[in-house]
Each structure stands twice: as C-alpha cells, then as structure tokens.
Amino acid sequence: FHLTATCGAFGAAAAAGAVLGLEAAAIAAALGIAGSQAAGSMEFLADGSWTKRFQTGWAACAGLHAAALAQAGFSGPATILEGRFGFLHAYSDGATTAPLAAREGYELMRTSVKPHACCRYMQGPIDAVLALRAAHRIEPDQVERVEVGMLAAGFPIVCEPADAKRRPASVVEAQFSLPFGIAVALARGAASPAEFSPACLRDPTVGGLMERVVGVRDPALDAAFPRAWPCWVRIALRGRPPLEAHIEHPRGDPESFLTPAELERKFRTLASRALPAAALARLEAALAGFPRARSVAPLLAAAIPSGT
C-alpha cells in the first residue's frame, strides 16, 4: 500500500476537523469516515503511472470530505483504527495501538522534508553522492562503478527490476529509480525537479552513468531502521583512488533538518511552478503572518493565482 494515500486521509481529516472547530466526538467520526476512503496502491511503480500524484491529492480530498460530513452529523466508526475490521488489522499484521498511546508530543514535529525530488529511499544515497562530488570534483567520465548500500525495505522499490530501473521512461519512473537519481546527481550536481525531467531522461551522460550504478542489499543497515535511514556509497574512479561516504540520517530528517533558507528555497522552487512572482510574494507574506492569523482565509486566498 502507498502510505501517503492510506494514512494521508486520516491526517487530512484531523487537520480539517481542527480548522472547522469540531469537538472530539465529531473528529472521531471524521476519522471513521476517512477510514472508509483510505486506499492507495503502489502499482504505479510498474509503469510510472500518475496515480502516484493522484493518491496524494485524493487523500487530502478524502479528509476534507470526512470532516465536512462529520460536521453535518454523519457518523463514522470510533474504532476505525483498532477495531476488528479497522485500519490497523486491514493494512498490517500483528498491529497494536500501544505506540500511539505511549507517544509524547506530536509526530508531525518528527516529519522528514525531502530535499531531493524523488523517493524517500533515494535521499541518503543522493546526499552521499553530492557530498563526494563537491569534495572531490568527480567528472562523469571518471566514474567506473557506483555501489550503493540500501535498506531492504527500499531495495525492491528503487532497485528492482534492475534493467527497468536503468531505463526509466517517465518522470515518475525516474523518481523511483536509484540508478537515475545517482546518475543525475553525479552529472548535474543536483536532484531538484529540474533534474527529474524529460530532458534529463534523454541526457546521454545520465544514461551512461545509470549503467554503472548498482544497488547492494546490506543487512547491517537494516539494524538501525526505521530509527535511522542509513546508507553508504562507494565510487570507483578511473585513475583515482575509490571514494566512500556513509549517511546515517539523510538531509531533511529531524536529526539533520533543513535550514530555514533551504526550506524557503524548496518552497519557492515548487510554488513558482504554479504561481507567478506577484502571487508567490503574496503567499510568502501570508505564510509569514500565519502564526498570528485569526483565520486561514487570507492564506487560502493568497494561494489562488487569480488576480495576478
């Protein structure tokens, strides 16, 4: 299952319920309603289908609908998470609610923010490659082989089938291809949305590098997962000593969080794809003032590109 889709509906329902000022019983109903809409398949990996994007938006939509229905008095099962036919039993084996009850604080504050425009399992390896590239001035034609130590959970998602991962045919396929992510980082020195593009898919330098990237299962890495998302990268170079880097916590994880400047840069990079400069400036101003705002209305209005 696609966790963003299955769990996202609950998060959206809780957030929408809070914004609507729902009481606890109504929020519980909203979560119950969201549970009937929590769905999402990972089959988009088979051919790079756009359902990857669709499922994320649909989860948000499902949460909004759930909160609105609960506000109108529609009921939903209060035991949607732990019940006999609830979410935990439907989507996992041996599930328990104990970790939820034992947690202190908000898990939202431990959310990772990806700096690179691709799968979560590729973030650490790309961090390592970019660090080695910057420190040692690696040229693509010097690279003979790149080995990447991977977590078992991510290996089938970004490394298999190996031939297909070395020949992504779409942007979505590239975003779930370890060979592409490593190759484009080596060739371009970045892994932003601009690098995960049709132009880079056709780049012969990137294509040549993909053939030299090999994912390696490493059980030693799994011992730390999911507390940490470790990886390692080894690069064999023509006429130069081999290079190696280890990453314990990828950039963007709570232990290695992005700086305010990096977050702002990511925001502008993504928002500018949908908003012109004037609208983007208004949205930034609305976000800056949001902690003191008495309503979400100004923020929502600023996010609409009309009137620019």
Side-chain angles (χ1 to χ4, degrees), residues 4 24 30 37 70 129 192 197 226 231 240 242 260 271 284 286:
T4 308
Q37 306 174 79
V129 164
S192 74
S197 65
C231 69
R240 295 176 59 182
E284 283 190 289

Side-chain angles (χ1 to χ4, degrees), residues 228-240:
W229 292 57
C231 69
W232 50 259
V233 170
R234 297 171 185 150
I235 303 179
L237 298 169
R238 186 176 298 107
R240 295 176 59 182

Side-chain angles (χ1 to χ4, degrees), residues 49-167:
S49 298
W50 289 4
T51 50
K52 166 64 170 66
R53 283 98 160 92
F54 168 80
Q55 288 170 179
T56 304
W58 193 257
C61 181
L64 289 172
H65 285 168
L69 285 167
Q71 185 183 42
F74 201 93
S75 65
T79 54
I80 187 61
L81 295 177
E82 75 279 14
R84 186 158 61 104
F85 302 108
F87 180 78
L88 294 180
H89 290 125
Y91 285 87
S92 63
D93 297 321
T96 173
T97 58
L100 296 176
R103 295 282 185 178
E104 295 183 1
Y106 291 101
E107 284 299 297
L108 180 64
M109 303 310 295
R110 291 190 51 77
T111 299
S112 297
V113 177
K114 297 189 295 186
H116 312 304
C118 54
C119 177
R120 177 70 177 77
Y121 290 104
M122 293 161 58
Q123 302 295 305
I126 290 175
D127 285 345
V129 164
L130 291 177
L132 291 173
R133 184 183 188 273
H136 301 280
R137 298 187 178 183
I138 301 171
E139 296 296 332
D141 59 1
Q142 298 174 329
V143 177
E144 292 185 335
R145 181 179 175 88
V146 182
E147 293 184 345
V148 183
M150 291 294 298
L151 293 164
F155 196 90
I157 296 175
V158 300
C159 298
E160 295 178 331
D163 287 344
K165 293 300 182 182
R166 290 194 179 98
R167 294 171 179 79

Side-chain angles (χ1 to χ4, degrees), residues 98 107 125 139 178 184 218 290 303:
E107 284 299 297
E139 296 296 332
L178 180 71
V184 81
D218 185 350
F290 186 66

Side-chain angles (χ1 to χ4, degrees), residues 275 278-280 282-283 286 295-308:
L275 298 174
L280 181 56
R282 286 200 300 273
L283 182 55
S295 167
V296 298
L299 177 60
L300 295 177
I304 299 173
S306 61
T308 58

